[in-house]
Amino acid sequence: EIDDAQKIRRNVIDAFEKASLPNLTEEERKKILHFVVVGGGPTGVEFAAELHDFVSEDVVKLYPMVQNFVKITVLEATDHILNMFDKRITKFAEHKFGRDNIEVKLGSMVTKVTENEICTKAKGSDKTTSMPYGMVLWSTGIGPRPIVKDFMKQIGQGNRRALATDEWLRVEGVGNVYALGDCATINQRKVMEDITEIFKKADADNSGTLTLKEFQDISNDICERYPQMQLYLKSKPVRNIFDRPSQVKGKASKESIELSIEEFKSALSEVDTQLKNLPATAQVANQQGAYLAKCFNRMEECEINPEGPTRIRGTGRHRFRPF
């Protein structure tokens, strides 16, 4: 909260003030200006990056005598920082930190924090190492506020870490309550849970099989309802889903291939593997707020003229595109 942010800011400034005292040794200055960030998620990574910018842009002018003693270390227990994001973002962030001399220690689990040292244990090892620090920022996850906790207990979600909502940001089990930001998690519906219904909708002639054209006709609606399908089709285009050599006789084209329900399930068996929760960042919350505002403003209009994927829509849903 704001109080925490002010305390962190004061601690950072105090560290530079202390390190500027004339009677300190180089080792003491290094210790005071060693900033350790525990947790390589969005908060920890963003803080480390902001601190680096502060040092390189402002500290140079304010504390020129001590700028070379600053060290920023990020400790992450898993194999990569920002592991909840796309791998390209993770790779970029790690490369950028390397260029900026921000040390990233992966597979480092914190075992103890004392007043002067922080102790870590490497992944797969029993050996504990310690390092002196001036300031530690702990950012290894989030928890719900008391008001959210109480609400979760009242609606039977007390054993969760965040409120569960559907793709329209409605709290599950409470149709007229919406939740956005890091107090909630969207339970994105899986394609394989609805695969039979999708097959029936796509099978326009009720033949019991699916042609390439039938699937292409409904693919945009499927992608709109299930965002993971859009990702999947980037790596495996629609035509490749109908790549069934065993069914092709002679010079028959893919247009003539027809998939049964079991073959269709097999072709899309990996479609949900890339499904991840949205990161708990301000950017996502901002987008959700704008989305809900537009939905509320068009509530009556969209009841008459639905705008969502008309052929793939669960009963009782709002007539908006899912978030």
Side-chain angles (χ1 to χ4, degrees):
E1 297 186 341
I2 291 175
D3 283 349
D4 301 305
Q6 290 175 333
K7 287 175 187 175
I8 291 168
R9 186 180 186 280
R10 280 197 297 271
N11 281 351
V12 171
I13 298 299
D14 285 349
F16 285 103
E17 290 286 346
K18 288 174 186 174
S20 299
L21 293 173
N23 59 337
L24 297 176
T25 65
E26 284 195 5
E27 286 304 312
E28 287 173 324
R29 293 186 209 279
K30 286 180 181 177
K31 174 186 175 298
I32 293 169
L33 292 177
H34 184 200
F35 299 92
V36 179
V37 181
V38 183
T43 304
V45 167
E46 191 164 12
F47 175 76
E50 290 288 347
L51 183 59
H52 171 268
D53 290 348
F54 173 66
V55 170
S56 58
E57 295 170 14
D58 298 322
V59 170
V60 177
K61 305 168 190 172
L62 299 173
Y63 306 95
M65 300 295 291
V66 298
Q67 58 169 313
N68 293 329
F69 296 105
V70 177
K71 182 180 178 182
I72 303 170
T73 302
V74 178
L75 302 177
E76 169 57 40
T78 65
D79 295 331
H80 293 283
I81 59 173
L82 299 178
N83 57 14
M84 66 289 293
F85 291 103
D86 187 287
K87 288 179 181 177
R88 290 169 296 177
I89 295 176
T90 296
K91 188 176 179 181
F92 172 81
E94 290 176 350
H95 181 64
K96 178 76 165 64
F97 275 9
R99 290 205 318 265
D100 292 341
N101 292 321
I102 296 173
E103 186 176 15
V104 178
K105 291 192 173 185
L106 301 172
S108 293
M109 186 176 293
V110 176
T111 57
K112 185 170 67 172
V113 182
T114 67
E115 193 174 345
N116 297 303
E117 289 184 328
I118 182 164
C119 301
T120 61
K121 187 169 67 173
K123 191 176 181 181
S125 170
D126 293 328
K127 185 181 178 182
T128 301
T129 57
S130 63
M131 67 179 89
Y133 72 88
M135 174 181 166
V136 169
L137 181 91
W138 192 277
S139 59
T140 62
I142 57 172
R145 303 287 300 135
I147 187 171
V148 178
K149 271 186 178 177
D150 292 342
F151 178 58
M152 289 169 72
K153 288 178 183 176
Q154 290 178 39
I155 62 171
Q157 293 192 21
N159 59 343
R160 294 180 53 87
R161 293 186 63 183
L163 279 164
T165 75
D166 61 19
E167 299 96 319
W168 291 265
L169 308 187
R170 298 186 306 178
V171 176
E172 290 189 349
V174 193
N176 60 347
V177 177
Y178 297 78
L180 63 143
D182 56 18
C183 74
T185 302
I186 297 174
N187 273 352
Q188 173 64 46
R189 186 81 176 168
K190 293 181 179 178
V191 171
M192 295 309 292
E193 291 174 338
D194 299 336
I195 193 73
T196 303
E197 190 64 26
I198 292 171
F199 185 88
K200 287 179 181 177
K201 296 279 187 182
D203 183 15
D205 59 2
N206 296 317
S207 64
T209 58
L210 207 60
T211 65
L212 175 61
K213 187 178 184 307
E214 284 177 326
F215 185 69
Q216 285 175 327
D217 285 345
I218 200 173
S219 62
N220 286 339
D221 281 357
I222 299 172
C223 289
E224 193 172 331
R225 177 66 181 84
Y226 308 91
Q228 65 269 38
M229 176 65 88
Q230 195 166 3
L231 285 173
Y232 184 70
L233 292 180
K234 283 182 180 179
S235 60
K236 188 170 184 176
V238 171
R239 294 182 68 85
N240 291 359
I241 291 175
F242 284 75
D243 193 5
R244 284 283 183 275
S246 61
Q247 290 197 21
V248 180
K249 296 179 181 178
K251 296 182 179 179
S253 66
K254 289 182 183 180
E255 281 75 7
S256 65
I257 296 174
E258 297 186 9
L259 299 185
S260 67
I261 179 66
E262 292 306 320
E263 289 171 327
F264 187 59
K265 286 179 181 178
S266 176
L268 297 180
S269 60
E270 297 180 357
V271 69
D272 295 313
T273 55
Q274 291 183 322
L275 193 60
K276 287 189 176 183
N277 290 331
L278 295 172
T281 61
Q283 290 88 339
V284 172
N286 182 64
Q287 292 170 20
Q288 289 174 328
Y291 164 82
L292 275 183
K294 288 177 182 176
C295 288
F296 292 160
N297 287 334
R298 299 197 311 274
M299 190 81 77
E300 292 182 9
E301 175 191 340
C302 288
E303 284 298 322
I304 301 169
N305 299 307
E307 64 179 18
T310 52
R311 284 177 291 183
I312 303 176
R313 179 191 292 137
T315 56
R317 302 296 186 190
H318 285 316
R319 300 308 189 228
F320 309 115
R321 290 183 175 88
F323 177 72

